[in-house]
Amino acid sequence: QTRVREIQAKRGTIYDRNGVVLATDRKIYKVYSVNLLVTQKEEIARLLSEQLGMDYEKTVEKLTKRLALIELADKVEKEVADEIRSFEFTGIIIDESYEREYPNKNLASHILGFCGGDNQGIVGFEAKYNHELMGTNGRIYRFTDAKGNKINDIGEKKIESVSGNSIVTTIDSYVQSFAEQLLDKALLNTHAKQASLIVMNPQNGEIYALANKPDFDLNKPFEINNADLGAIWNSFSSKEQMDYLNRMWRNFAINDTYEPGSIFKVITSAIAYENKKFTLNDTFHCSGYSIVEDRKIRCWYFPRSHGTLNFMGGIQNSCNPVFMELGRRIGVDTFYEYVGRLGLTKKTGIDLPGEGSGLFLNKKRVGPVELAVMSFGQSFQITPIEFLRALSIVVNGGTEVTPHVAKRIFNGDGTLKEEVDGASDDRILSKETSDLMRTALQNVVELGTGKSVQIPGYSIGGKTATSEKLPRRSGKYISSFMGVAPIDHPKLIAIILIDEPQGAYYGGVIAAPVIKELFENILNYLEVPITNEQKKGYLMPNLSGTSKEEAIKTLSKISKNVEFFGVGNQVITQLPGEGEMIDYNSKIILYTD
């Protein structure tokens, strides 16, 4: 007779971009019994119950079954396996096996995912690349007579296992760890339901960090991460427990959709400029609201108004009426064409399982009112990773990009099998549109709603958002901020979402400071060069109607060379004019009333 035992293959190792081990296999052992040959059943059962905590009676029962080969125990540590082996029990076989181990516990849990009891990936990156990581099991053929006795002159035939391929990811464990610390702090400060943060290279789609909080321990994935639920865990049905666990494992940043709010104004702006629907000399008017058909749609600034302002003033102040007007000029057909071209209605193709895609109204159902609210980021839903991909196209020069986590795949023998690159030459927007939008985002940080993100020495762009969740007037918001650095040639783009914060909820107040702290700690680490402040260009802001003190404060990052003419305290006109490009510390003349 031929008896066959499988030799488990070693699963490939997962590394971060710098060679830090994120997931690996550690050696464990399995204990088998050839029951026909076992003569010391009680002794073996007693030893296994003492060493492994196994039930004595059940072990004896296993040992008396009329089976050729039966597994008694798996995941046995080496010290215990050695002790069992030392007794030289007849009919007991001990084989090597492997168990997945995550040295950093919770780190990147929603990216990596985990393996099941058979060491096969079932969630996350482990599942997506299971075919690369899992290897090929080997086999041991043992030849016996009818009673199970080994036939010595034939011996055993062994087919060695083949180790799985190893993968180097785009993840930087330092950036990932710091992103997770920031989210922990954000949840502590805001008492929010959950939060997500993605950090990516907009030029090639490499993801440096993708964090969701709450998260879970990869070494104990079936242990619920909520203390209150844990206390009553056994009262739930198996289905309820799995529902809770699936929610805990769910990667919000790629699986779920949300209304993006004001950050979407970046997309509306890019579509409008690409299609020549405005010039930098155009002016818009904000009365605190706009009338669209029979609807009065408010600016977030209502009951105040922004008055007359140009495009740069509109995006700096995130003025809703400006973008409603841009949406009207774009029109439904062009709006939907570019939403599609920017990838907001389809999956990004990120190499993680379960990706969702954007949800937009059927174009035939979109009238002037629907288009107006869509232009500033409401009445549709997209995933955070979809949005980040579209924003990357806007700032990277206008070319397509695919977010990805795998960077290099190595064969089991260490040779390079494949290199992954998410960059593309496919042009979606013109370079001119991308250049303008980077300048606009820089102005938002230096002169507008994103001022809290300024970091001396670095040119940073960004956009705030505060989106009200459905149903409206429920008091539930998602606060977010998107940041880009350095603005001349972006190497980093990041987006944070804080879901249902309590108390303060404006994106510029609670989300933007998180991106600032992130950039402060990783720009130098990632060797992003400091910008030469003297060579930076600035767009002159509109100072009309401001006091002398307010004007000086607004100009503090641009110029100290300010001269006033007039005896009043309120600025009535200025040189250079609003929207003109000036150098750092250029002379500015302000006339007062």
Side-chain angles (χ1 to χ4, degrees), residues 32-237:
Y32 295 93
S33 168
V34 181
N35 285 357
L36 285 171
L37 302 180
V38 174
T39 58
Q40 298 163 286
K41 295 181 174 60
E42 290 79 8
E43 231 179 298
I44 294 168
R46 190 173 295 109
L47 179 65
L48 293 178
S49 63
E50 288 173 359
Q51 293 291 340
L52 302 175
M54 294 170 60
D55 183 273
Y56 173 81
E57 298 296 337
K58 288 182 179 177
T59 306
V60 171
E61 185 182 332
K62 276 188 176 182
L63 289 165
T64 55
K65 286 184 177 179
R66 295 182 62 82
L67 292 171
L69 187 71
I70 188 168
E71 183 182 304
L72 296 178
D74 65 354
K75 298 185 180 180
V76 177
E77 299 295 339
K78 184 179 186 302
E79 296 75 16
V80 177
D82 287 345
E83 184 164 354
I84 296 169
R85 194 181 280 122
S86 70
F87 284 89
E88 298 182 349
F89 291 121
T90 304
I92 296 298
I93 301 169
I94 298 175
D95 279 346
E96 291 180 355
S97 183
Y98 293 98
E99 180 181 49
R100 205 60 164 164
E101 185 175 55
Y102 303 91
N104 304 297
K105 298 182 179 179
N106 293 49
L107 187 75
S109 59
H110 288 102
I111 299 174
L112 294 173
F114 56 89
C115 294
D118 57 356
N119 218 29
Q120 302 296 300
I122 57 174
V123 174
F125 192 82
E126 292 273 29
K128 184 72 175 181
Y129 284 93
N130 189 59
H131 62 291
E132 296 283 358
L133 294 161
M134 66 180 183
T136 305
N137 289 346
R139 288 188 169 192
I140 296 175
Y141 294 90
R142 187 169 183 267
F143 303 100
T144 72
D145 60 21
K147 293 182 179 181
N149 295 306
K150 181 180 177 183
I151 302 175
N152 292 321
D153 56 347
I154 298 180
E156 290 185 339
K157 180 182 177 183
K158 186 176 183 180
I159 299 176
E160 296 288 352
S161 62
V162 179
S163 296
N165 296 334
S166 292
I167 304 179
V168 174
T169 67
T170 62
I171 301 302
D172 188 300
S173 55
Y174 171 77
V175 178
Q176 178 74 30
S177 177
F178 193 70
E180 292 182 11
Q181 290 175 42
L182 290 175
L183 290 187
D184 279 330
K185 187 161 74 170
L187 290 186
L188 184 66
N189 291 339
T190 65
H191 304 288
K193 174 183 172 184
Q194 60 187 8
S196 296
L197 175 56
I198 312 173
V199 185
M200 190 171 87
N201 183 332
Q203 306 297 336
N204 60 17
E206 290 187 357
I207 292 177
Y208 296 124
L210 188 157
N212 297 297
K213 289 287 181 173
D215 56 14
F216 59 96
D217 186 339
L218 289 165
N219 295 309
K220 303 172 184 175
F222 290 89
E223 194 172 285
I224 197 72
N225 60 4
N226 183 304
D228 294 334
L229 283 179
I232 55 173
W233 190 244
N234 292 330
S235 67
F236 297 124
S237 67

Side-chain angles (χ1 to χ4, degrees), residues 198 253-254 256-257 342-348 355-360 381-392 403:
I198 312 173
I254 71 164
D256 293 350
T257 58
L342 288 162
L344 293 168
T345 56
K346 62 183 179 182
K347 297 177 182 180
T348 67
E355 184 183 6
S357 61
L359 303 169
F360 284 78
Q381 297 209 338
I382 52 179
T383 65
I385 193 67
E386 267 183 319
F387 197 20
L388 197 63
R389 188 257 301 269
L391 293 167
S392 294

